[in-house]
Amino acid sequence: MKTKQIIVTLALLVAALSSGQVSINVNIGPPPIWAPAAPSTVEYYYLPDIGVYYDVPARTYIYFGNGAWRRSTVLPSRYRGYNLAQGHTIYLNDYHGRTPYAYNQEHKLKYKGDYRWKEIEHDNSNRGRKPGRNEGKGNRNRPGERKEHGRK
């Protein structure tokens, strides 16, 4: 009789312990300094302006080049001048796997990027610069018009 009580007690104890919810929180690693704060479980960021993914655990960029998706620890040279800190960054909290680019068409539609980043970067490069000798001094020529110099 005593053995049955011990077995029943142990069975109830095991059942009570196993019926609780199990939650696993995996810390993937710190996000890059240019990325917005994200939950610790985020594995990928998507950069819609340039169509590139960032793999947080591997610390690599995933981009399309020469007909295939490639991984690299640095951005390709064609993105030179792109400011990661000022660009759009989306963290993908709904994907866990090895190929986030499998959903690239959906990501392109859902997270529209500003693909004119080179133009914008160029336009901002003149900000804070003093005007040149003839800039802003009443040069009223219309585009395509030539100012005539000489005596009358």
Side-chain angles (χ1 to χ4, degrees), residues 22-149:
V22 176
S23 97
I24 299 172
N25 187 9
V26 179
N27 190 354
I28 300 299
I33 58 172
W34 47 264
S40 62
T41 56
V42 167
E43 293 179 44
Y44 295 98
Y45 285 91
Y46 176 59
L47 311 169
D49 296 343
I50 57 177
V52 171
Y53 295 90
Y54 182 78
D55 183 337
V56 177
R59 295 185 177 148
T60 57
Y61 296 95
I62 305 170
Y63 62 93
F64 193 79
N66 296 330
W69 285 95
R70 306 185 176 284
R71 291 176 176 264
S72 174
T73 56
V74 295
L75 279 174
S77 61
R78 69 178 175 237
Y79 303 122
R80 189 175 331 161
Y82 180 72
N83 188 333
L84 290 165
Q86 291 182 347
H88 296 92
T89 302
I90 310 295
Y91 60 81
L92 303 175
N93 56 0
D94 58 349
Y95 179 78
H96 302 284
R98 292 279 303 143
T99 57
Y101 48 83
Y103 300 96
N104 187 250
Q105 289 301 339
E106 289 91 355
H107 293 152
K108 281 169 107 175
L109 292 172
K110 188 174 180 180
Y111 311 111
K112 298 209 185 304
D114 189 350
Y115 296 99
R116 301 174 313 123
W117 64 269
K118 282 188 178 182
E119 296 169 22
I120 292 169
E121 192 71 27
H122 183 266
D123 290 345
N124 289 339
S125 66
N126 289 331
R127 196 174 286 164
R129 182 176 73 81
K130 291 184 180 178
R133 210 172 75 192
N134 293 325
E135 292 180 79
K137 291 201 175 182
N139 186 352
R140 292 188 176 92
N141 290 349
R142 292 186 200 120
E145 239 181 25
R146 212 170 81 192
K147 190 171 184 176
E148 296 291 328
H149 291 285

